[in-house]
Amino acid sequence: MHSGKTKIKSGDSVIVLAGKDKGKTGEVLSVDRKNNRAVVGGVNMVKKHTKPSAQNPQGGIKEFESSIHISNIAILDQNNKPSKIGYRIENDKKVRFTKTTNKTLS
C-alpha cells in the first residue's frame, strides 16, 4: 500500500459516501496521509471503555471520532453536493478546485 497524495485537507467540509454514517457531513479534523485515513467531526463515533486513572479518576465510557478511509469521503462543493477535486495553476500558485462547479477551494 502506497501513501499517495491526498486531495483532502484539515478544515474541508466533506460528505461520507459509504459505511454506517453514509450521507452524514462534517469537517475534517485531521488527515493521516501514511494510512490514507481522515478524522471527520461527528462521524464514525466509537466508544472506548477507560479504567480509572490519575487523569480520569472516574473512568467510564468515552465517545470519540475514529478515522475513516479517504476513499469513503468526498468534498462538498458550494451547492452541498459531493465533488471530485482537481488542481490548476492560478497566478503562479497551485490551487484546488471542485470539478462540479469549477470554483477554487480556499
Side-chain angles (χ1 to χ4, degrees), residues 20-72:
K20 66 175 185 174
D21 292 326
K22 181 178 179 178
K24 283 190 182 174
T25 58
E27 189 176 304
V28 176
L29 304 176
S30 65
V31 178
D32 179 5
R33 297 191 192 292
K34 187 168 175 266
N35 297 316
N36 289 324
R37 296 180 78 80
V39 176
V40 181
V43 172
N44 200 19
M45 301 298 284
V46 293
K47 288 181 167 75
K48 182 175 181 179
H49 297 256
T50 54
K51 278 182 165 179
S53 65
Q55 288 93 11
N56 187 5
Q58 194 64 35
I61 302 169
K62 285 179 67 178
E63 197 170 8
F64 62 97
E65 293 101 351
S66 185
S67 66
I68 186 169
H69 199 269
I70 285 198
S71 66
N72 294 332

Side-chain angles (χ1 to χ4, degrees), residues 1-105:
M1 180 175 220
H2 77 299
S3 56
K5 175 122 175 69
T6 62
K7 297 178 178 182
I8 298 202
K9 294 181 177 176
S10 295
D12 286 343
S13 292
V14 294
I15 186 166
V16 180
L17 301 176
K20 66 175 185 174
D21 292 326
K22 181 178 179 178
K24 283 190 182 174
T25 58
E27 189 176 304
V28 176
L29 304 176
S30 65
V31 178
D32 179 5
R33 297 191 192 292
K34 187 168 175 266
N35 297 316
N36 289 324
R37 296 180 78 80
V39 176
V40 181
V43 172
N44 200 19
M45 301 298 284
V46 293
K47 288 181 167 75
K48 182 175 181 179
H49 297 256
T50 54
K51 278 182 165 179
S53 65
Q55 288 93 11
N56 187 5
Q58 194 64 35
I61 302 169
K62 285 179 67 178
E63 197 170 8
F64 62 97
E65 293 101 351
S66 185
S67 66
I68 186 169
H69 199 269
I70 285 198
S71 66
N72 294 332
I73 56 179
I75 201 132
L76 284 173
D77 63 12
Q78 286 80 358
N79 308 325
N80 281 346
K81 296 267 189 287
S83 174
K84 290 185 176 179
I85 304 169
Y87 287 99
R88 64 179 168 220
I89 307 293
E90 283 181 7
N91 305 328
D92 296 332
K93 268 199 154 129
K94 187 177 180 184
V95 293
R96 300 181 304 154
F97 70 97
T98 56
K99 296 208 173 171
T100 52
T101 60
N102 218 10
K103 294 237 172 39
T104 305
L105 290 166

